[in-house]
């Protein structure tokens, strides 16, 4: 059987992530074979790899070229540049991708730019949709210097929102202002953010005290969208203040659940069009070869860089 290289978990080596030979994929009729050129890293898949069994293959985001179109005719033709999303195993030389999770990359958009979009871009896009129209309304984004946060700031501004960014490290203030945040607040809690509330929509991925604070900063009928707990899973909040606001809600967000309603290809095309027009700019902090996957993944867990890291498959 033909072999390809892929990133796999090996608990016996430093960093746990290594390149190994694996069996080449066999696509279903609704899947295209994609020759991967670039991948990007997300905290969720990297964190899972720290405890996964030997042989598990991480990876959500990929960008590359159609090598074999889908048998059912639903994919772009051979040679088309595409970006795609998998539940796991995207970090490989060749992958099988369902056509509903693929979008064609415009000629002006690089593989590296496109590779940042599937998880971080789609999460920001779908999370903002939970607020409905945000035109002229206040939107608070926590962990704003991360990949999702950077996209969320840009998309919120494009939607006409009054955009407030919360970060915990002051050295990232210039980054979030460049993304379009009108107000930046810094701190281990949201006390400074209360001055600019109440908020119609809060995109929250820290958890712990930050989420507890966020629930008390909503406007009437406002919503907190919770999609991560990098700062802690246990939350204490003022329940009377929360329900007393009237219509306030907390939404538990999982991207792959959202994609059951709208396929990834739809959102990816919208994001790619914005990048093509120069209205959305992926922040790539770091680019390297995928042979450095273990080191770059550890840097992500250690928060040694903001924005996105892209690895080139060579």
């Amino acid at each position: 059987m033909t072999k390809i290289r892929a990133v796999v978990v090996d608990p016996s080596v430093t960093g746990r992530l290594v390149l190994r030979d694996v069996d080449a994929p066999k696509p279903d009729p609704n899947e295209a074979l994609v020759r991967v050129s670039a991948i990007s890293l997300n905290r969720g898949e990297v964190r899972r790899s720290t405890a996964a069994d030997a042989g598990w293959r991480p990876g959500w985001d990929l960008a590359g070229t159609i090598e074999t179109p889908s048998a059912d005719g639903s994919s772009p033709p051979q040679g088309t540049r595409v970006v795609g999303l998998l539940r796991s195993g995207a970090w490989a030389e060749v992958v099988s991708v369902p056509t509903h999770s693929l979008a064609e990359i415009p000629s002006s958009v690089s593989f590296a730019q496109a590779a940042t979009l599937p998880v971080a871009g789609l999460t920001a896009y779908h999370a903002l949709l939970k607020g409905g129209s945000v035109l002229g309304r206040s939107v608070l984004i926590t962990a704003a210097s991360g990949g999702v946060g950077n996209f969320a700031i840009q998309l919120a501004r494009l939607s006409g929102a009054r955009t407030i960014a919360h970060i915990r490290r002051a050295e990232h203030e210039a980054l979030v202002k460049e993304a379009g945040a009108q107000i930046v607040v810094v701190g281990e809690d949201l006390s400074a953010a209360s001055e600019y509330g109440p908020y119609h929509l809060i995109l929250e991925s820290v958890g712990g005290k930050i989420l507890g604070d966020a629930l008390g900063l909503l406007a009437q009928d406002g919503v907190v969208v919770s999609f991560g707990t990098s700062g802690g899973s246990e939350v204490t909040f003022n329940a009377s203040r929360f329900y007393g606001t009237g219509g306030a809600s907390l939404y538990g967000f999982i991207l792959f659940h959202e994609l059951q309603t709208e396929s990834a290809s739809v959102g990816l095309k919208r994001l790619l069009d914005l990048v093509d027009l120069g209205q959305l700019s992926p922040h790539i902090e770091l680019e390297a070869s995928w042979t450095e996957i273990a080191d770059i993944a550890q840097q992500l867990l250690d928060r040694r860089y903001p924005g996105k890291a892209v690895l080139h498959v060579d």
Side-chain angles (χ1 to χ4, degrees):
M1 179 174 287
T2 304
K3 297 289 186 178
I4 61 167
R5 290 184 301 164
V7 176
V8 303
V9 168
D10 183 346
S12 69
V13 302
T14 302
R16 295 179 58 93
L17 296 176
V18 294
L19 295 180
R20 292 281 189 264
D21 287 341
V22 301
D23 292 338
K26 294 181 177 180
D28 290 334
N30 69 331
E31 295 179 333
L33 283 181
V34 178
R35 172 71 59 175
V36 179
S37 295
I39 60 176
S40 77
L41 282 66
N42 299 281
R43 184 170 295 276
E45 67 214 330
V46 172
R47 286 180 66 181
R48 181 177 172 187
S49 71
T50 63
D53 294 335
W56 182 70
R57 291 176 51 189
W60 293 330
D61 300 344
L62 67 106
T65 305
I66 297 286
E67 188 162 281
T68 304
S70 63
D72 67 2
S74 60
S75 76
Q78 184 180 29
T80 303
R81 299 166 68 245
V82 293
V83 62
L85 175 69
L86 289 176
R87 285 182 173 267
S88 64
W91 298 348
E93 290 178 311
V94 179
V95 293
S96 296
V97 186
T99 57
H100 60 70
S101 294
L102 286 172
E104 183 173 348
I105 303 172
S107 60
S108 69
V109 180
S110 70
F111 282 129
Q113 289 175 309
T116 67
L117 295 174
V119 167
L122 287 175
T123 296
Y125 161 70
H126 281 283
L128 279 169
L129 290 179
K130 301 307 172 187
S133 173
V134 295
L135 182 65
R137 290 172 155 172
S138 293
V139 174
L140 173 63
I141 299 161
T142 69
S145 62
V148 176
N150 192 278
F151 281 127
I153 292 169
Q154 295 183 66
L155 294 174
R157 283 300 303 274
L158 285 171
S159 301
R162 177 175 178 257
T163 307
I164 295 87
H166 173 261
I167 54 177
R168 288 182 284 180
R169 296 171 62 175
E171 60 263 36
H172 294 157
E173 184 171 357
L175 172 64
V176 295
K177 283 186 175 179
E178 182 181 353
Q182 293 152 301
I183 298 168
V184 179
V185 294
V186 183
E188 292 299 322
D189 57 32
L190 293 183
S191 56
S194 61
E195 176 183 347
Y196 305 101
Y199 296 95
H200 171 71
L201 174 66
I202 301 176
L203 304 190
E204 209 298 289
S205 61
V206 181
K209 179 170 174 50
I210 297 291
L211 176 54
D213 291 347
L215 291 170
L217 296 180
L218 289 173
Q220 192 172 57
D221 298 317
V223 58
V224 172
V225 179
S226 173
F227 58 93
T229 54
S230 63
S233 298
E234 299 298 321
V235 180
T236 300
F237 68 101
N238 187 321
S240 63
R241 182 174 179 183
F242 177 65
Y243 73 72
T245 298
S249 61
L250 171 63
Y251 185 90
F253 181 100
I254 294 290
L255 178 60
F256 288 102
H257 173 78
E258 305 301 323
L259 297 180
Q260 295 176 21
T261 303
E262 179 183 284
S263 70
S265 60
V266 174
L268 285 172
K269 184 180 186 308
R270 292 178 177 173
L271 295 171
L272 286 163
D273 286 346
L274 291 173
V275 178
D276 186 33
L277 291 169
Q279 295 181 311
L280 183 66
S281 179
H283 178 75
I284 301 173
E285 182 70 20
L286 188 157
E287 291 187 68
S289 166
W290 75 327
T291 59
E292 299 180 49
I293 179 67
D295 178 58
I296 304 302
Q298 188 60 54
Q299 289 187 46
L300 175 63
L301 292 178
D302 294 342
R303 304 182 187 279
R304 281 186 264 166
Y305 60 85
K308 296 290 291 181
V310 172
L311 302 185
H312 296 275
V313 178
D314 46 28

